[in-house]
Amino acid sequence: MDELKLRNVHLQQVQNQIRHNTDGLSSSTLVLRRGQSFTILINYDGRTYDPLKDKLVFRIVLVPLSVEVPVSVSGNPSPSQWSAILERSAPDPNAGRTQIVSLFSPASSPVGVYTLHLRVETRGSIKTHVLGQFTLLCNPWCQADSVFMQSEDLRNEYIRNDIGLLFKGSPENIDSRPWSFDQYERGVLDICMKLLQLSPQSQADARKDLQNRSNPVYISRVISAMVNCQDDKGVLMGNWSGKYSDGVNPSMWSGSADILRLWAATQFSPVKYGQCWVFAAVMCTVMRALGIPTRVVTNFNSAHDTNANMVIEEYYSEKGEKLSIGRDSVWNFHVWVESWMKRPDLDGGYDGWQVLDPTPQEMSAGMYRCGPAAVKAVHEQKVNAPYDVPFVYAEVNADVRIIIIRDGKILATKVDKDRVGALICTKRPGTMVMQEITAEYKTEMDGMPFMFSSDARGGGGTAERFSRSGEGANGRGVRQGVGVSLQLLKAPVVGENLSFIVKITNNMAIPKLLRKHVNAQNKEYNRDPTGTFWEDHDDLKIGPNETVTVKHEISFTEHMLNEAMEDCLVNLAVVIEDVKSQERVLASGEYNISSPALNIQIQNEYSVIINTQQVATVTFTNPFNVAVSGDLIVAGSGLLEEKVQMRLTIQPRETMKRPIRFIPWMTGAKMLHAFLELTDRSTVLRGFKTVTVQAA
């Protein structure tokens, strides 16, 4: 028995992944984090391993890169290079002899899928064995890694948490919708690694790409481009046309796994379709899977400044209709992500959260991507800092110039400095509620912190005072004789009429003859409104220093949309014209129409045990005066292996209850998510319930 003969090698997947905080991630390989040791068991027959006679050399390959790592019998791992140290050896009567080796990867190692080889050199022979593959990720638990995050609670939220909330709507009426990031779902991590392998950078120069993959700044720019398909074999195709018959309505997606799997199953053809929150949510999944702490962020009243002059121009007719003129726009909301990393490429002090936006809007260095733009650089107006800080700065800070025109002639103008970036928010760690982060992007205005009063969230329209053309945009020197405001009487809900009041005030001690023009238009969150669907025009007399209140009501049948959407928005505007002085004032507001919610209750929700059947009940009361039909779909990563789907018809005012049985297969905070697309009401209804699954 003089020969040392390798019997097998055990990569200890379970033990290593628990130590590396990658347990639960589904991959065809061992999953590890860089900057941390992992252990390998080597079983062999024959004589005892003798380091004076025998040599063990690991070869670690990331094609076309490779490194050879001889096994040392003692010492400590080097922080800057791969190393392998013999831990101990012991005879095993059942498995021959066992050698335990600790392999260490530096914290600057490239992210990728590696192949591990072992060469056994003895006096009599040299034999090489392929041991298998491992996927190496960034490591926010390691201080030497450039994505290190100090707080364990924040690491759990921004790396390990697989459920989230996306915020949409308008600052006055915020809607939250659940999203399942799905990084633990079968095959998702392997698909995320494909984004790196299929990127134009990898295809053009694989060696250079792999060398750069040690840097999360580089990785994040690659992923920002690869989530959209504008320049590459990216994941998602954007569509804001309202026509989705050859794909999926963006509002129908509820998690990232379906999208990523469809991309992989179709030979990496773009998935149809996505909009900003879908792009951002999928990018969050990929970045968390790669080990880079990431959160989804919503910017309400987000400016798209195409000519980079920091001014967005909006045009209204003299009768209050918002006009589609110019390429600049203000989206009611826009969703991007922030990722946590060091920025050694900047002067210093700009580590931390970085804006990344995969929605294809403008090119950055020849590709449709955005960021990483340091949030602190945006706050400090450091617009010369890479990457794309000026674009992000404009998204949260641009001025809005509102112009009333007739036959191409400007009748009045007003500059609004407060609307853009009115509220910037994300999900609060450890909860399912909103956290406002506006102050991280913007300086305080007039010494006051960013906050909304109860009035500001009550649905009031923005009253704009205008100067007449040629008298100055700020209205100085122009006596404003009339004031107007617009306010909803209650939050708009699908199926109900839209009720609001217009309040007109005569600030002068003389009576006035006024013309009132009220206009309503449907709109999508990312563009100007479509044509007017309701309007009202009349003349009225108002006494000296008098205030007149006029109530208006728009029936649901007038403002309902034909295409199923969850972002139903209405632009309301009122223009008051002083007949004698030709002075005009405008009040406007954009309001999202909320959908009724599904309710989910879980039996014994505080004692949900892994691998034990549980029962949830989905409840919905039909608020409409007609029967509705649709498909109810219930999903839950870690709770349901497959989605539950059923066809429903619900009578007027009927309460529907459907039990859903599930067996949790992962512990921790999980979420059941239900949505119901009403085919005859053009409405998507949603509901969710979070539950903590306990170990047996």
Side-chain angles (χ1 to χ4, degrees), residues 13 17 25-31 113 132-135 187 189-190:
Q13 184 166 357
Q17 291 195 182
L25 289 173
S26 167
S27 173
S28 57
T29 74
L30 170 67
V31 184
V113 181
Q133 290 186 311
F134 63 90
T135 298
L189 175 59
D190 292 343

Side-chain angles (χ1 to χ4, degrees), residues 295-328:
R295 63 188 186 183
V296 180
V297 171
T298 300
N299 176 37
F300 286 99
N301 297 338
S302 187
H304 187 162
D305 182 19
T306 57
N307 57 8
N309 67 349
M310 289 295 294
V311 177
I312 308 296
E313 294 183 332
E314 291 186 346
Y315 295 87
Y316 282 84
S317 74
E318 62 179 324
K319 295 187 178 180
E321 182 178 18
K322 195 172 184 181
L323 306 172
S324 294
I325 299 176
R327 293 182 59 223
D328 288 354

Side-chain angles (χ1 to χ4, degrees), residues 379-486:
H379 185 276
E380 295 179 355
Q381 305 177 38
K382 190 178 175 67
V383 294
N384 61 332
Y387 295 90
D388 309 305
V389 172
F391 185 79
V392 178
Y393 181 82
E395 286 183 299
V396 300
N397 284 296
D399 295 339
V400 180
R401 184 175 182 234
I402 303 146
I403 305 165
I404 299 177
I405 64 172
R406 179 179 62 202
D407 298 329
K409 180 183 178 183
I410 296 176
L411 301 178
T413 64
K414 167 68 180 182
V415 175
D416 184 349
K417 294 182 175 292
D418 301 329
R419 190 198 319 174
V420 169
L423 172 66
I424 306 170
C425 64
T426 187
K427 184 181 90 68
R428 184 178 298 279
T431 71
M432 293 296 278
V433 300
M434 186 191 81
Q435 175 184 356
E436 182 173 357
I437 57 172
T438 315
E440 295 182 21
Y441 283 81
K442 304 177 69 169
T443 55
E444 297 178 353
M445 295 180 294
D446 301 323
M448 296 297 291
F450 288 103
M451 61 179 65
F452 284 91
S453 67
S454 58
D455 289 342
R457 290 204 190 271
T462 304
E464 306 291 356
R465 292 200 176 277
F466 288 80
S467 67
R468 283 178 288 177
S469 179
E471 294 183 317
N474 59 12
R476 290 190 180 95
V478 180
R479 187 178 186 187
Q480 301 291 347
V482 179
V484 63
S485 64
L486 181 155

Side-chain angles (χ1 to χ4, degrees), residues 5-6 9 116-120 127-132:
K5 184 177 180 181
L6 190 71
V9 175
L116 185 61
H117 304 255
L118 176 61
R119 188 169 73 246
V120 182
K127 293 185 179 180
T128 301
H129 309 270
V130 179
L131 307 185

Side-chain angles (χ1 to χ4, degrees), residues 163-391:
I163 59 176
L165 283 182
L166 313 181
F167 298 99
K168 308 170 72 178
S170 61
E172 297 83 6
N173 188 19
I174 297 170
D175 277 343
S176 60
R177 63 160 291 180
W179 190 272
S180 183
F181 294 116
D182 294 334
Q183 66 264 39
Y184 299 109
E185 288 293 296
R186 173 181 44 82
V188 164
L189 175 59
D190 292 343
I191 298 170
C192 292
M193 300 307 294
K194 280 291 185 183
L195 271 76
L196 295 172
Q197 296 163 11
L198 293 175
S199 72
Q201 293 89 336
S202 178
Q203 299 298 308
D205 189 336
R207 178 179 294 274
K208 182 179 179 182
D209 171 65
L210 291 172
Q211 290 169 339
N212 287 331
R213 277 202 225 159
S214 63
N215 184 357
V217 174
Y218 174 83
I219 293 172
S220 66
R221 280 181 69 72
V222 170
I223 299 301
S224 178
M226 282 296 294
V227 170
N228 71 71
C229 68
Q230 298 299 105
D231 319 290
D232 43 45
K233 291 186 176 181
V235 176
L236 277 160
M237 180 180 293
N239 186 343
W240 288 265
S241 71
K243 299 176 182 178
Y244 313 111
S245 59
D246 61 337
V248 176
N249 184 327
S251 294
M252 295 296 101
W253 299 116
S254 60
S256 300
D258 288 344
I259 296 169
L260 290 167
R261 286 173 179 161
L262 182 57
W263 177 65
T266 57
Q267 300 300 307
F268 311 108
S269 297
V271 175
K272 301 176 181 179
Y273 289 104
Q275 292 183 5
C276 68
W277 71 93
V278 185
F279 287 109
V282 170
M283 183 164 184
C284 184
T285 296
V286 177
M287 297 295 276
R288 287 186 183 182
L290 297 181
I292 302 173
T294 301
R295 63 188 186 183
V296 180
V297 171
T298 300
N299 176 37
F300 286 99
N301 297 338
S302 187
H304 187 162
D305 182 19
T306 57
N307 57 8
N309 67 349
M310 289 295 294
V311 177
I312 308 296
E313 294 183 332
E314 291 186 346
Y315 295 87
Y316 282 84
S317 74
E318 62 179 324
K319 295 187 178 180
E321 182 178 18
K322 195 172 184 181
L323 306 172
S324 294
I325 299 176
R327 293 182 59 223
D328 288 354
S329 60
V330 177
W331 294 14
N332 292 83
F333 64 88
H334 182 45
V335 186
W336 57 64
V337 301
E338 291 175 1
S339 293
W340 182 272
M341 65 189 73
K342 291 180 180 177
R343 290 300 302 270
D345 55 318
L346 300 182
D347 296 337
Y350 294 96
D351 298 345
W353 290 118
Q354 315 287 322
V355 173
L356 289 150
D357 191 351
T359 299
Q361 296 183 89
E362 300 290 336
M363 284 190 169
S364 173
M367 301 184 74
Y368 279 97
R369 57 188 171 182
C370 180
V375 171
K376 187 176 180 183
V378 175
H379 185 276
E380 295 179 355
Q381 305 177 38
K382 190 178 175 67
V383 294
N384 61 332
Y387 295 90
D388 309 305
V389 172
F391 185 79

